[in-house]
Amino acid sequence: MKIFAVGMNYPQHNKEIKNTLLQQSVSDSADRSPVIFTKADSALLKDGKPFFIPDFMGRIDYETEIVVRICKLGKSIPERFAHRYYDAVTVGIDFTARDLQKKLREEGQPWEICKGFDGSAVIGEWISKDNFLNIQNLRFALDINGNRVQEGNTSDMIFSVDRLISYISQFFTLKTGDILYTGTPVGVGPVNIDDHLEGYLEGRKVLEFNCK
């Protein structure tokens, strides 16, 4: 199983982190490429298991994202056929060691250790994509301790789900069970011990776990 993730895929989040990649729509990004990174399989955290905050890594931020599940083998997939290669969606958390990420960026180093550490890829309950009319119009949100801290809509993505799958498949053969984190909207922030996180997809709770 491979875990793919996308950085800087929502314009307002890009401004939030003061990045220069500030495209306003998918059409504006026709000559751009997505920012793709991977996480180790040991990063996967599911079934409501607690997230143990690695305090030696400094500030750990939540990034709430729509996640899709790959359902068939594919390589160099045309964008118009990409919808055939995933069958379910959920809400996930891409945990990021923010202090470490800043240091790595300043040094021009890769992101793996600040993004792919154990437990950093949380996923909720999978929902068949057939339950939704349009993958590019899904509302999702995160509550922490009963307070709404982040919400977004996939219509705001710079690169659509289908475009991401097509792009990634040029470099990696996609296999059944691979998953793709599609980027986070504005509103990221730190987690703390004893925080209770709940993720929602179109108003339905699909994710719930605690930080330890």
Side-chain angles (χ1 to χ4, degrees), residues 13-80:
H13 171 61
N14 296 347
K15 293 178 182 179
E16 175 181 47
I17 61 173
K18 296 181 175 62
N19 195 281
T20 57
L21 187 63
L22 301 178
Q23 302 100 315
Q24 295 302 306
S25 70
V26 173
S27 61
D28 293 337
S29 62
D31 59 347
R32 308 271 185 163
S33 297
V35 176
I36 304 297
F37 59 96
T38 60
K39 290 174 175 270
D41 57 5
S42 59
L44 190 65
L45 186 66
K46 58 183 181 178
D47 301 327
K49 294 179 180 177
F51 171 67
F52 290 91
I53 299 174
D55 54 6
F56 71 95
M57 295 178 73
R59 170 173 162 165
I60 305 296
D61 279 6
Y62 60 81
E63 297 188 8
T64 312
E65 311 194 7
I66 289 294
V67 186
V68 301
R69 183 178 66 191
I70 302 301
C71 63
K72 61 191 294 188
L73 186 73
K75 174 70 174 176
S76 299
I77 302 165
E79 184 175 342
R80 66 184 184 278

Side-chain angles (χ1 to χ4, degrees), residues 145-186:
N145 303 326
N147 299 311
R148 181 63 45 93
V149 296
Q150 196 174 19
E151 55 189 345
N153 191 299
T154 55
S155 63
D156 295 326
M157 285 181 177
I158 296 170
F159 300 98
S160 69
V161 173
D162 289 356
R163 186 167 177 191
L164 290 171
I165 287 175
S166 177
Y167 179 78
I168 292 170
S169 72
Q170 296 177 51
F171 307 95
F172 301 91
T173 297
L174 298 181
K175 296 183 178 181
T176 301
D178 290 348
I179 62 176
L180 169 62
Y181 285 72
T182 58
T184 191
V186 68

Side-chain angles (χ1 to χ4, degrees), residues 1 4 11 30 39 44 53 63 71 74 89 98 134 173 201 203 205:
M1 183 201 69
F4 298 101
K39 290 174 175 270
L44 190 65
I53 299 174
E63 297 188 8
C71 63
V89 298
R98 193 67 72 197
N134 183 1
T173 297
L201 176 59
K205 185 192 294 187

Side-chain angles (χ1 to χ4, degrees), residues 57-152:
M57 295 178 73
R59 170 173 162 165
I60 305 296
D61 279 6
Y62 60 81
E63 297 188 8
T64 312
E65 311 194 7
I66 289 294
V67 186
V68 301
R69 183 178 66 191
I70 302 301
C71 63
K72 61 191 294 188
L73 186 73
K75 174 70 174 176
S76 299
I77 302 165
E79 184 175 342
R80 66 184 184 278
F81 297 136
H83 65 279
R84 301 177 181 177
Y85 288 82
Y86 58 98
D87 63 352
V89 298
T90 191
V91 171
I93 305 294
D94 166 21
F95 278 121
T96 302
R98 193 67 72 197
D99 295 336
L100 181 55
Q101 184 186 45
K102 182 176 183 295
K103 179 176 182 291
L104 293 171
R105 279 178 167 170
E106 290 172 349
E107 296 175 354
Q109 296 189 30
W111 291 5
E112 274 82 358
I113 60 174
C114 73
K115 283 284 195 178
F117 57 92
D118 288 356
S120 63
V122 189
I123 57 170
E125 173 192 356
W126 291 111
I127 306 297
S128 171
K129 73 171 186 180
D130 294 338
N131 289 4
F132 308 107
L133 292 176
N134 183 1
I135 293 296
Q136 289 307 141
N137 189 23
L138 295 180
R139 295 175 295 111
F140 59 102
L142 176 70
D143 290 354
I144 297 182
N145 303 326
N147 299 311
R148 181 63 45 93
V149 296
Q150 196 174 19
E151 55 189 345

